[in-house]
Amino acid sequence: MKNKTILITTLAVMVCTDIVAQETATKKPPFSISGTAGVSYEYYGLSKKPKGWTGFSPRKPWNQVRFNFSPQMQFGKNFSLPFNFNFAMKPTNYAGPYSGITKQSFGQFITNPMNSFGLNPKYKWAELQLGTQYLNYSELSTGDIGVFGAGFDLRPGTYSIKFFTGLSQQGVNFFTGPPATNGAYKRSNWMFSLGKAKEEKYEVAINFVKAKDDSTSASPPPLLIKPQEGFTMSLVSKVFFNKGWYVKMEGAQSIYTKNLLLPLDVTKASFKPFIEAHTSTVKDFAGDAAIGKKGKNLDIGLKLKYIGAGFQTPGYLFMLPDRFDYTLNTRFNAWKNKTGGYKMNVVASAGQRVNNVSNTTLKAKQFIGNLNWFTQFNDHLSLNVSFNNFGFQAPGGINPYGIKNVSNDFGVNPTYTWGNDKVIHLLSLNYNYSKYDERDVITGLVTSNNTHTALLTYVPTFLTKDLSPDFSLMYFRNSMPGFTLKLITFSAGLGWSAAKKKMNFRAQAQYNYSKTNSFSNNNNIIASLNNDWKVSKKLTWTTFISTNQFKYGNEIVTNNARYLESNIRTGFQYKFGK
């Protein structure tokens, strides 16, 4: 009997141990939460002299309350619930009441572009997207606009299915002013993507994007803006080979109506039921391709991009059409140090842009490129050299000359550090030269706008004191035919800690001297004070106070006018989690 009891007890212990072990092995992680939540109040004040002078308008609402609520909740291993709520109580900036937005409805409030309400619950491979979302599908479909709405992102296995629909722009009434408001039409969007991908192997997807304006959403309607409708479909493919080689391609077709108020036109290209052509509808193609190799210390690749003259996608509102770009891109490390690292890092690209490919005006060729070259000579001295060329040349409508806006920027930044066991000094000089060329579309004359900027910065870091000062001196000169602007700025700041580093103060003072042509100079003084007080481990109280005093010379009417801006912002920030 005793042996049976021992056997039964042993079996029971083994079974219980096995059950506990199984439960431990399959036990899901507990609930956790991270992120932040906060509330802040901001006061804006403006006084102007002489009284009644209208040459400077307020740049913010007089009072504003903002909230942010951005926690991420994790339920077990597979389910997460991130929030992104950032909103203000005022409907919009000071022009809001003039543009037809006074007392907001709930729909206007949550879709206001200055607010952001996002909720993305995710379970394993399924994600629900609610509220304001910035979704990037591809370089030729959609990627840089915020849309308030609802959708999903499903990725079962190697497949992906994405869909989202909502509002990207509110209707805003036209107002002559002051202040003048151009107005806008309410715009609705939807986007869809179907694809298949295997990490580090391949990716293929087909994307559809559409946007349409509501022509009745603004009263009075905008004078210079017409209601539009656009549809774009694109095919994306990427293949990754051994040893870092890759090939990427995308082709896109757009059908875009520039004025929905014009009648339908059966002779133009349509794509029913997605879009029906009007007399202002255009259809065109765009494509890009890249081939290259990525390595630990060397990347190299070739990229081609063609955008047709009539190509326009709702997901990239400011994409420059009618061009062909080709660039050679590289990144490499060089000059090893004693520890096996590298003292030199170079990222560069060079190529050419051909504008006006459709021959609506004369073709224009433009060099495009950028360079960022960093070298660490020793423990004290480093040098960064940069160059960037950007801009565009495009048709000028009925004018004989196309638009030309091209900028060439060159910068040199040497930095020297030295110190001892009490203080470390940093001295940095940053010089930048910018040459900006702009062409008059009527006369064809090209005007060069040249800018020189030199910034000297000194920052001592005390290792035995809770003080962190910094000093800077800047010289800026901008010149073009008939116009010269000179600006000299001196800035000094000081940071310090108190109450066992629970309170961190930061004070900043800045003086600006500016002069235009032969007019008398302008004077500007800016001062600010910032304090972060860690009330508890999770709660922080921040306060910011600034003042901006600007006095004009005799370049404007009324002569010697001035204004004083004041800004006070205070708020609490709470941190979730440990």
mmCIF file with all atom_site columns, all heavy atoms in Angstrom, residues 312-334:
data_model
loop_
_atom_site.group_PDB
_atom_site.id
_atom_site.type_symbol
_atom_site.label_atom_id
_atom_site.label_alt_id
_atom_site.label_comp_id
_atom_site.label_asym_id
_atom_site.label_entity_id
_atom_site.label_seq_id
_atom_site.pdbx_PDB_ins_code
_atom_site.Cartn_x
_atom_site.Cartn_y
_atom_site.Cartn_z
_atom_site.occupancy
_atom_site.B_iso_or_equiv
_atom_site.pdbx_formal_charge
_atom_site.auth_seq_id
_atom_site.auth_comp_id
_atom_site.auth_asym_id
_atom_site.auth_atom_id
_atom_site.pdbx_PDB_model_num
ATOM 1   N N   . GLN A 1 312 ? 0.719  62.340 -63.524 1.00 0.00 ? 312 GLN A N   1
ATOM 2   C CA  . GLN A 1 312 ? 0.437  62.983 -62.237 1.00 0.00 ? 312 GLN A CA  1
ATOM 3   C C   . GLN A 1 312 ? -0.246 61.965 -61.344 1.00 0.00 ? 312 GLN A C   1
ATOM 4   O O   . GLN A 1 312 ? -1.249 61.366 -61.727 1.00 0.00 ? 312 GLN A O   1
ATOM 5   C CB  . GLN A 1 312 ? -0.458 64.218 -62.435 1.00 0.00 ? 312 GLN A CB  1
ATOM 6   C CG  . GLN A 1 312 ? -0.533 65.108 -61.220 1.00 0.00 ? 312 GLN A CG  1
ATOM 7   C CD  . GLN A 1 312 ? -1.179 66.447 -61.540 1.00 0.00 ? 312 GLN A CD  1
ATOM 8   O OE1 . GLN A 1 312 ? -1.354 66.813 -62.706 1.00 0.00 ? 312 GLN A OE1 1
ATOM 9   N NE2 . GLN A 1 312 ? -1.545 67.197 -60.509 1.00 0.00 ? 312 GLN A NE2 1
ATOM 10  N N   . THR A 1 313 ? 0.307  61.757 -60.146 1.00 0.00 ? 313 THR A N   1
ATOM 11  C CA  . THR A 1 313 ? -0.262 60.770 -59.241 1.00 0.00 ? 313 THR A CA  1
ATOM 12  C C   . THR A 1 313 ? -0.795 61.452 -57.994 1.00 0.00 ? 313 THR A C   1
ATOM 13  O O   . THR A 1 313 ? -0.165 62.392 -57.478 1.00 0.00 ? 313 THR A O   1
ATOM 14  C CB  . THR A 1 313 ? 0.772  59.703 -58.858 1.00 0.00 ? 313 THR A CB  1
ATOM 15  O OG1 . THR A 1 313 ? 0.197  58.803 -57.901 1.00 0.00 ? 313 THR A OG1 1
ATOM 16  C CG2 . THR A 1 313 ? 2.032  60.326 -58.264 1.00 0.00 ? 313 THR A CG2 1
ATOM 17  N N   . PRO A 1 314 ? -1.961 61.044 -57.480 1.00 0.00 ? 314 PRO A N   1
ATOM 18  C CA  . PRO A 1 314 ? -2.539 61.686 -56.293 1.00 0.00 ? 314 PRO A CA  1
ATOM 19  C C   . PRO A 1 314 ? -1.693 61.510 -55.038 1.00 0.00 ? 314 PRO A C   1
ATOM 20  O O   . PRO A 1 314 ? -1.857 62.259 -54.084 1.00 0.00 ? 314 PRO A O   1
ATOM 21  C CB  . PRO A 1 314 ? -3.896 60.978 -56.135 1.00 0.00 ? 314 PRO A CB  1
ATOM 22  C CG  . PRO A 1 314 ? -4.179 60.354 -57.462 1.00 0.00 ? 314 PRO A CG  1
ATOM 23  C CD  . PRO A 1 314 ? -2.855 60.018 -58.041 1.00 0.00 ? 314 PRO A CD  1
ATOM 24  N N   . GLY A 1 315 ? -0.776 60.534 -55.033 1.00 0.00 ? 315 GLY A N   1
ATOM 25  C CA  . GLY A 1 315 ? 0.007  60.256 -53.841 1.00 0.00 ? 315 GLY A CA  1
ATOM 26  C C   . GLY A 1 315 ? 1.267  61.074 -53.715 1.00 0.00 ? 315 GLY A C   1
ATOM 27  O O   . GLY A 1 315 ? 1.917  61.059 -52.659 1.00 0.00 ? 315 GLY A O   1
ATOM 28  N N   . TYR A 1 316 ? 1.674  61.798 -54.767 1.00 0.00 ? 316 TYR A N   1
ATOM 29  C CA  . TYR A 1 316 ? 2.820  62.700 -54.728 1.00 0.00 ? 316 TYR A CA  1
ATOM 30  C C   . TYR A 1 316 ? 2.410  63.979 -55.451 1.00 0.00 ? 316 TYR A C   1
ATOM 31  O O   . TYR A 1 316 ? 2.524  64.082 -56.677 1.00 0.00 ? 316 TYR A O   1
ATOM 32  C CB  . TYR A 1 316 ? 4.047  62.073 -55.395 1.00 0.00 ? 316 TYR A CB  1
ATOM 33  C CG  . TYR A 1 316 ? 4.626  60.903 -54.639 1.00 0.00 ? 316 TYR A CG  1
ATOM 34  C CD1 . TYR A 1 316 ? 4.290  59.601 -54.968 1.00 0.00 ? 316 TYR A CD1 1
ATOM 35  C CD2 . TYR A 1 316 ? 5.509  61.112 -53.590 1.00 0.00 ? 316 TYR A CD2 1
ATOM 36  C CE1 . TYR A 1 316 ? 4.816  58.524 -54.273 1.00 0.00 ? 316 TYR A CE1 1
ATOM 37  C CE2 . TYR A 1 316 ? 6.053  60.035 -52.883 1.00 0.00 ? 316 TYR A CE2 1
ATOM 38  C CZ  . TYR A 1 316 ? 5.695  58.756 -53.227 1.00 0.00 ? 316 TYR A CZ  1
ATOM 39  O OH  . TYR A 1 316 ? 6.229  57.695 -52.524 1.00 0.00 ? 316 TYR A OH  1
ATOM 40  N N   . LEU A 1 317 ? 1.933  64.956 -54.693 1.00 0.00 ? 317 LEU A N   1
ATOM 41  C CA  . LEU A 1 317 ? 1.301  66.125 -55.294 1.00 0.00 ? 317 LEU A CA  1
ATOM 42  C C   . LEU A 1 317 ? 2.282  67.036 -56.012 1.00 0.00 ? 317 LEU A C   1
ATOM 43  O O   . LEU A 1 317 ? 1.890  67.781 -56.915 1.00 0.00 ? 317 LEU A O   1
ATOM 44  C CB  . LEU A 1 317 ? 0.562  66.920 -54.204 1.00 0.00 ? 317 LEU A CB  1
ATOM 45  C CG  . LEU A 1 317 ? -0.539 66.150 -53.459 1.00 0.00 ? 317 LEU A CG  1
ATOM 46  C CD1 . LEU A 1 317 ? -1.180 67.052 -52.413 1.00 0.00 ? 317 LEU A CD1 1
ATOM 47  C CD2 . LEU A 1 317 ? -1.588 65.623 -54.428 1.00 0.00 ? 317 LEU A CD2 1
ATOM 48  N N   . PHE A 1 318 ? 3.555  67.014 -55.637 1.00 0.00 ? 318 PHE A N   1
ATOM 49  C CA  . PHE A 1 318 ? 4.510  67.961 -56.202 1.00 0.00 ? 318 PHE A CA  1
ATOM 50  C C   . PHE A 1 318 ? 5.602  67.277 -57.029 1.00 0.00 ? 318 PHE A C   1
ATOM 51  O O   . PHE A 1 318 ? 6.711  67.777 -57.138 1.00 0.00 ? 318 PHE A O   1
ATOM 52  C CB  . PHE A 1 318 ? 5.136  68.797 -55.077 1.00 0.00 ? 318 PHE A CB  1
ATOM 53  C CG  . PHE A 1 318 ? 4.113  69.524 -54.251 1.00 0.00 ? 318 PHE A CG  1
ATOM 54  C CD1 . PHE A 1 318 ? 3.756  69.053 -53.001 1.00 0.00 ? 318 PHE A CD1 1
ATOM 55  C CD2 . PHE A 1 318 ? 3.492  70.646 -54.749 1.00 0.00 ? 318 PHE A CD2 1
ATOM 56  C CE1 . PHE A 1 318 ? 2.803  69.715 -52.237 1.00 0.00 ? 318 PHE A CE1 1
ATOM 57  C CE2 . PHE A 1 318 ? 2.533  71.324 -53.998 1.00 0.00 ? 318 PHE A CE2 1
ATOM 58  C CZ  . PHE A 1 318 ? 2.185  70.858 -52.736 1.00 0.00 ? 318 PHE A CZ  1
ATOM 59  N N   . MET A 1 319 ? 5.290  66.138 -57.590 1.00 0.00 ? 319 MET A N   1
ATOM 60  C CA  . MET A 1 319 ? 6.248  65.438 -58.435 1.00 0.00 ? 319 MET A CA  1
ATOM 61  C C   . MET A 1 319 ? 6.448  66.206 -59.744 1.00 0.00 ? 319 MET A C   1
ATOM 62  O O   . MET A 1 319 ? 5.488  66.570 -60.419 1.00 0.00 ? 319 MET A O   1
ATOM 63  C CB  . MET A 1 319 ? 5.767  64.012 -58.732 1.00 0.00 ? 319 MET A CB  1
ATOM 64  C CG  . MET A 1 319 ? 6.714  63.207 -59.591 1.00 0.00 ? 319 MET A CG  1
ATOM 65  S SD  . MET A 1 319 ? 6.081  61.527 -59.915 1.00 0.00 ? 319 MET A SD  1
ATOM 66  C CE  . MET A 1 319 ? 6.225  60.794 -58.293 1.00 0.00 ? 319 MET A CE  1
ATOM 67  N N   . LEU A 1 320 ? 7.709  66.472 -60.101 1.00 0.00 ? 320 LEU A N   1
ATOM 68  C CA  . LEU A 1 320 ? 8.025  67.209 -61.318 1.00 0.00 ? 320 LEU A CA  1
ATOM 69  C C   . LEU A 1 320 ? 7.882  66.300 -62.538 1.00 0.00 ? 320 LEU A C   1
ATOM 70  O O   . LEU A 1 320 ? 8.572  65.283 -62.639 1.00 0.00 ? 320 LEU A O   1
ATOM 71  C CB  . LEU A 1 320 ? 9.448  67.762 -61.236 1.00 0.00 ? 320 LEU A CB  1
ATOM 72  C CG  . LEU A 1 320 ? 9.959  68.502 -62.472 1.00 0.00 ? 320 LEU A CG  1
ATOM 73  C CD1 . LEU A 1 320 ? 9.170  69.784 -62.676 1.00 0.00 ? 320 LEU A CD1 1
ATOM 74  C CD2 . LEU A 1 320 ? 11.450 68.804 -62.337 1.00 0.00 ? 320 LEU A CD2 1
ATOM 75  N N   . PRO A 1 321 ? 7.008  66.644 -63.507 1.00 0.00 ? 321 PRO A N   1
ATOM 76  C CA  . PRO A 1 321 ? 6.816  65.793 -64.687 1.00 0.00 ? 321 PRO A CA  1
ATOM 77  C C   . PRO A 1 321 ? 7.781  66.153 -65.813 1.00 0.00 ? 321 PRO A C   1
ATOM 78  O O   . PRO A 1 321 ? 8.611  67.058 -65.694 1.00 0.00 ? 321 PRO A O   1
ATOM 79  C CB  . PRO A 1 321 ? 5.371  66.091 -65.080 1.00 0.00 ? 321 PRO A CB  1
ATOM 80  C CG  . PRO A 1 321 ? 5.192  67.532 -64.697 1.00 0.00 ? 321 PRO A CG  1
ATOM 81  C CD  . PRO A 1 321 ? 6.044  67.759 -63.467 1.00 0.00 ? 321 PRO A CD  1
ATOM 82  N N   . ASP A 1 322 ? 7.647  65.431 -66.920 1.00 0.00 ? 322 ASP A N   1
ATOM 83  C CA  . ASP A 1 322 ? 8.351  65.715 -68.174 1.00 0.00 ? 322 ASP A CA  1
ATOM 84  C C   . ASP A 1 322 ? 9.867  65.760 -67.985 1.00 0.00 ? 322 ASP A C   1
ATOM 85  O O   . ASP A 1 322 ? 10.531 66.735 -68.332 1.00 0.00 ? 322 ASP A O   1
ATOM 86  C CB  . ASP A 1 322 ? 7.846  67.036 -68.760 1.00 0.00 ? 322 ASP A CB  1
ATOM 87  C CG  . ASP A 1 322 ? 8.134  67.143 -70.256 1.00 0.00 ? 322 ASP A CG  1
ATOM 88  O OD1 . ASP A 1 322 ? 8.496  66.122 -70.865 1.00 0.00 ? 322 ASP A OD1 1
ATOM 89  O OD2 . ASP A 1 322 ? 8.010  68.252 -70.802 1.00 0.00 ? 322 ASP A OD2 1
ATOM 90  N N   . ARG A 1 323 ? 10.432 64.665 -67.462 1.00 0.00 ? 323 ARG A N   1
ATOM 91  C CA  . ARG A 1 323 ? 11.882 64.634 -67.238 1.00 0.00 ? 323 ARG A CA  1
ATOM 92  C C   . ARG A 1 323 ? 12.397 63.207 -67.297 1.00 0.00 ? 323 ARG A C   1
ATOM 93  O O   . ARG A 1 323 ? 11.653 62.237 -67.103 1.00 0.00 ? 323 ARG A O   1
ATOM 94  C CB  . ARG A 1 323 ? 12.244 65.264 -65.902 1.00 0.00 ? 323 ARG A CB  1
ATOM 95  C CG  . ARG A 1 323 ? 11.982 64.381 -64.684 1.00 0.00 ? 323 ARG A CG  1
ATOM 96  C CD  . ARG A 1 323 ? 12.381 65.086 -63.402 1.00 0.00 ? 323 ARG A CD  1
ATOM 97  N NE  . ARG A 1 323 ? 12.573 64.181 -62.285 1.00 0.00 ? 323 ARG A NE  1
ATOM 98  C CZ  . ARG A 1 323 ? 11.666 63.881 -61.396 1.00 0.00 ? 323 ARG A CZ  1
ATOM 99  N NH1 . ARG A 1 323 ? 10.447 64.395 -61.498 1.00 0.00 ? 323 ARG A NH1 1
ATOM 100 N NH2 . ARG A 1 323 ? 11.932 63.061 -60.395 1.00 0.00 ? 323 ARG A NH2 1
ATOM 101 N N   . PHE A 1 324 ? 13.714 63.119 -67.531 1.00 0.00 ? 324 PHE A N   1
ATOM 102 C CA  . PHE A 1 324 ? 14.409 61.835 -67.509 1.00 0.00 ? 324 PHE A CA  1
ATOM 103 C C   . PHE A 1 324 ? 15.692 62.008 -66.695 1.00 0.00 ? 324 PHE A C   1
ATOM 104 O O   . PHE A 1 324 ? 16.515 62.867 -67.001 1.00 0.00 ? 324 PHE A O   1
ATOM 105 C CB  . PHE A 1 324 ? 14.738 61.362 -68.925 1.00 0.00 ? 324 PHE A CB  1
ATOM 106 C CG  . PHE A 1 324 ? 15.565 60.105 -68.962 1.00 0.00 ? 324 PHE A CG  1
ATOM 107 C CD1 . PHE A 1 324 ? 15.078 58.928 -68.437 1.00 0.00 ? 324 PHE A CD1 1
ATOM 108 C CD2 . PHE A 1 324 ? 16.833 60.109 -69.520 1.00 0.00 ? 324 PHE A CD2 1
ATOM 109 C CE1 . PHE A 1 324 ? 15.834 57.767 -68.471 1.00 0.00 ? 324 PHE A CE1 1
ATOM 110 C CE2 . PHE A 1 324 ? 17.593 58.963 -69.554 1.00 0.00 ? 324 PHE A CE2 1
ATOM 111 C CZ  . PHE A 1 324 ? 17.091 57.783 -69.034 1.00 0.00 ? 324 PHE A CZ  1
ATOM 112 N N   . ASP A 1 325 ? 15.839 61.230 -65.622 1.00 0.00 ? 325 ASP A N   1
ATOM 113 C CA  . ASP A 1 325 ? 17.011 61.305 -64.742 1.00 0.00 ? 325 ASP A CA  1
ATOM 114 C C   . ASP A 1 325 ? 17.797 60.011 -64.830 1.00 0.00 ? 325 ASP A C   1
ATOM 115 O O   . ASP A 1 325 ? 17.212 58.917 -64.897 1.00 0.00 ? 325 ASP A O   1
ATOM 116 C CB  . ASP A 1 325 ? 16.599 61.497 -63.280 1.00 0.00 ? 325 ASP A CB  1
ATOM 117 C CG  . ASP A 1 325 ? 15.859 62.790 -63.028 1.00 0.00 ? 325 ASP A CG  1
ATOM 118 O OD1 . ASP A 1 325 ? 15.787 63.622 -63.952 1.00 0.00 ? 325 ASP A OD1 1
ATOM 119 O OD2 . ASP A 1 325 ? 15.347 62.969 -61.906 1.00 0.00 ? 325 ASP A OD2 1
ATOM 120 N N   . TYR A 1 326 ? 19.124 60.135 -64.806 1.00 0.00 ? 326 TYR A N   1
ATOM 121 C CA  . TYR A 1 326 ? 19.953 58.946 -64.600 1.00 0.00 ? 326 TYR A CA  1
ATOM 122 C C   . TYR A 1 326 ? 21.130 59.327 -63.719 1.00 0.00 ? 326 TYR A C   1
ATOM 123 O O   . TYR A 1 326 ? 21.793 60.336 -63.926 1.00 0.00 ? 326 TYR A O   1
ATOM 124 C CB  . TYR A 1 326 ? 20.429 58.335 -65.927 1.00 0.00 ? 326 TYR A CB  1
ATOM 125 C CG  . TYR A 1 326 ? 21.156 59.271 -66.867 1.00 0.00 ? 326 TYR A CG  1
ATOM 126 C CD1 . TYR A 1 326 ? 22.548 59.383 -66.846 1.00 0.00 ? 326 TYR A CD1 1
ATOM 127 C CD2 . TYR A 1 326 ? 20.447 60.039 -67.804 1.00 0.00 ? 326 TYR A CD2 1
ATOM 128 C CE1 . TYR A 1 326 ? 23.208 60.226 -67.717 1.00 0.00 ? 326 TYR A CE1 1
ATOM 129 C CE2 . TYR A 1 326 ? 21.104 60.878 -68.678 1.00 0.00 ? 326 TYR A CE2 1
ATOM 130 C CZ  . TYR A 1 326 ? 22.485 60.970 -68.631 1.00 0.00 ? 326 TYR A CZ  1
ATOM 131 O OH  . TYR A 1 326 ? 23.147 61.817 -69.494 1.00 0.00 ? 326 TYR A OH  1
ATOM 132 N N   . THR A 1 327 ? 21.358 58.518 -62.674 1.00 0.00 ? 327 THR A N   1
ATOM 133 C CA  . THR A 1 327 ? 22.397 58.822 -61.694 1.00 0.00 ? 327 THR A CA  1
ATOM 134 C C   . THR A 1 327 ? 23.177 57.560 -61.333 1.00 0.00 ? 327 THR A C   1
ATOM 135 O O   . THR A 1 327 ? 22.632 56.460 -61.299 1.00 0.00 ? 327 THR A O   1
ATOM 136 C CB  . THR A 1 327 ? 21.796 59.413 -60.399 1.00 0.00 ? 327 THR A CB  1
ATOM 137 O OG1 . THR A 1 327 ? 20.823 58.499 -59.869 1.00 0.00 ? 327 THR A OG1 1
ATOM 138 C CG2 . THR A 1 327 ? 21.156 60.759 -60.655 1.00 0.00 ? 327 THR A CG2 1
ATOM 139 N N   . LEU A 1 328 ? 24.460 57.765 -61.042 1.00 0.00 ? 328 LEU A N   1
ATOM 140 C CA  . LEU A 1 328 ? 25.323 56.722 -60.512 1.00 0.00 ? 328 LEU A CA  1
ATOM 141 C C   . LEU A 1 328 ? 25.523 57.020 -59.033 1.00 0.00 ? 328 LEU A C   1
ATOM 142 O O   . LEU A 1 328 ? 25.965 58.112 -58.666 1.00 0.00 ? 328 LEU A O   1
ATOM 143 C CB  . LEU A 1 328 ? 26.671 56.716 -61.242 1.00 0.00 ? 328 LEU A CB  1
ATOM 144 C CG  . LEU A 1 328 ? 27.684 55.662 -60.775 1.00 0.00 ? 328 LEU A CG  1
ATOM 145 C CD1 . LEU A 1 328 ? 27.172 54.257 -61.074 1.00 0.00 ? 328 LEU A CD1 1
ATOM 146 C CD2 . LEU A 1 328 ? 29.047 55.896 -61.437 1.00 0.00 ? 328 LEU A CD2 1
ATOM 147 N N   . ASN A 1 329 ? 25.194 56.068 -58.188 1.00 0.00 ? 329 ASN A N   1
ATOM 148 C CA  . ASN A 1 329 ? 25.223 56.265 -56.739 1.00 0.00 ? 329 ASN A CA  1
ATOM 149 C C   . ASN A 1 329 ? 26.253 55.341 -56.094 1.00 0.00 ? 329 ASN A C   1
ATOM 150 O O   . ASN A 1 329 ? 26.388 54.174 -56.496 1.00 0.00 ? 329 ASN A O   1
ATOM 151 C CB  . ASN A 1 329 ? 23.844 55.981 -56.137 1.00 0.00 ? 329 ASN A CB  1
ATOM 152 C CG  . ASN A 1 329 ? 22.741 56.718 -56.860 1.00 0.00 ? 329 ASN A CG  1
ATOM 153 O OD1 . ASN A 1 329 ? 22.623 57.923 -56.751 1.00 0.00 ? 329 ASN A OD1 1
ATOM 154 N ND2 . ASN A 1 329 ? 21.933 55.982 -57.631 1.00 0.00 ? 329 ASN A ND2 1
ATOM 155 N N   . THR A 1 330 ? 26.933 55.857 -55.081 1.00 0.00 ? 330 THR A N   1
ATOM 156 C CA  . THR A 1 330 ? 27.929 55.037 -54.408 1.00 0.00 ? 330 THR A CA  1
ATOM 157 C C   . THR A 1 330 ? 28.061 55.442 -52.943 1.00 0.00 ? 330 THR A C   1
ATOM 158 O O   . THR A 1 330 ? 27.717 56.566 -52.554 1.00 0.00 ? 330 THR A O   1
ATOM 159 C CB  . THR A 1 330 ? 29.306 55.151 -55.090 1.00 0.00 ? 330 THR A CB  1
ATOM 160 O OG1 . THR A 1 330 ? 30.217 54.236 -54.483 1.00 0.00 ? 330 THR A OG1 1
ATOM 161 C CG2 . THR A 1 330 ? 29.874 56.552 -54.958 1.00 0.00 ? 330 THR A CG2 1
ATOM 162 N N   . ARG A 1 331 ? 28.566 54.529 -52.153 1.00 0.00 ? 331 ARG A N   1
ATOM 163 C CA  . ARG A 1 331 ? 28.949 54.753 -50.755 1.00 0.00 ? 331 ARG A CA  1
ATOM 164 C C   . ARG A 1 331 ? 30.143 53.859 -50.462 1.00 0.00 ? 331 ARG A C   1
ATOM 165 O O   . ARG A 1 331 ? 30.146 52.680 -50.812 1.00 0.00 ? 331 ARG A O   1
ATOM 166 C CB  . ARG A 1 331 ? 27.802 54.390 -49.804 1.00 0.00 ? 331 ARG A CB  1
ATOM 167 C CG  . ARG A 1 331 ? 28.177 54.531 -48.314 1.00 0.00 ? 331 ARG A CG  1
ATOM 168 C CD  . ARG A 1 331 ? 27.247 53.739 -47.431 1.00 0.00 ? 331 ARG A CD  1
ATOM 169 N NE  . ARG A 1 331 ? 27.349 52.306 -47.655 1.00 0.00 ? 331 ARG A NE  1
ATOM 170 C CZ  . ARG A 1 331 ? 28.241 51.515 -47.062 1.00 0.00 ? 331 ARG A CZ  1
ATOM 171 N NH1 . ARG A 1 331 ? 29.142 52.003 -46.223 1.00 0.00 ? 331 ARG A NH1 1
ATOM 172 N NH2 . ARG A 1 331 ? 28.250 50.212 -47.326 1.00 0.00 ? 331 ARG A NH2 1
ATOM 173 N N   . PHE A 1 332 ? 31.170 54.420 -49.842 1.00 0.00 ? 332 PHE A N   1
ATOM 174 C CA  . PHE A 1 332 ? 32.315 53.578 -49.500 1.00 0.00 ? 332 PHE A CA  1
ATOM 175 C C   . PHE A 1 332 ? 33.039 54.111 -48.274 1.00 0.00 ? 332 PHE A C   1
ATOM 176 O O   . PHE A 1 332 ? 32.978 55.301 -47.944 1.00 0.00 ? 332 PHE A O   1
ATOM 177 C CB  . PHE A 1 332 ? 33.287 53.456 -50.686 1.00 0.00 ? 332 PHE A CB  1
ATOM 178 C CG  . PHE A 1 332 ? 33.921 54.757 -51.109 1.00 0.00 ? 332 PHE A CG  1
ATOM 179 C CD1 . PHE A 1 332 ? 35.093 55.228 -50.524 1.00 0.00 ? 332 PHE A CD1 1
ATOM 180 C CD2 . PHE A 1 332 ? 33.346 55.516 -52.128 1.00 0.00 ? 332 PHE A CD2 1
ATOM 181 C CE1 . PHE A 1 332 ? 35.669 56.412 -50.928 1.00 0.00 ? 332 PHE A CE1 1
ATOM 182 C CE2 . PHE A 1 332 ? 33.918 56.708 -52.537 1.00 0.00 ? 332 PHE A CE2 1
ATOM 183 C CZ  . PHE A 1 332 ? 35.085 57.157 -51.940 1.00 0.00 ? 332 PHE A CZ  1
ATOM 184 N N   . ASN A 1 333 ? 33.711 53.193 -47.579 1.00 0.00 ? 333 ASN A N   1
ATOM 185 C CA  . ASN A 1 333 ? 34.568 53.510 -46.441 1.00 0.00 ? 333 ASN A CA  1
ATOM 186 C C   . ASN A 1 333 ? 36.019 53.328 -46.859 1.00 0.00 ? 333 ASN A C   1
ATOM 187 O O   . ASN A 1 333 ? 36.338 52.430 -47.643 1.00 0.00 ? 333 ASN A O   1
ATOM 188 C CB  . ASN A 1 333 ? 34.264 52.610 -45.247 1.00 0.00 ? 333 ASN A CB  1
ATOM 189 C CG  . ASN A 1 333 ? 32.829 52.746 -44.766 1.00 0.00 ? 333 ASN A CG  1
ATOM 190 O OD1 . ASN A 1 333 ? 32.294 53.851 -44.728 1.00 0.00 ? 333 ASN A OD1 1
ATOM 191 N ND2 . ASN A 1 333 ? 32.203 51.641 -44.405 1.00 0.00 ? 333 ASN A ND2 1
ATOM 192 N N   . ALA A 1 334 ? 36.910 54.155 -46.316 1.00 0.00 ? 334 ALA A N   1
ATOM 193 C CA  . ALA A 1 334 ? 38.320 54.066 -46.676 1.00 0.00 ? 334 ALA A CA  1
ATOM 194 C C   . ALA A 1 334 ? 39.177 54.540 -45.504 1.00 0.00 ? 334 ALA A C   1
ATOM 195 O O   . ALA A 1 334 ? 38.674 55.105 -44.531 1.00 0.00 ? 334 ALA A O   1
ATOM 196 C CB  . ALA A 1 334 ? 38.605 54.910 -47.927 1.00 0.00 ? 334 ALA A CB  1
#
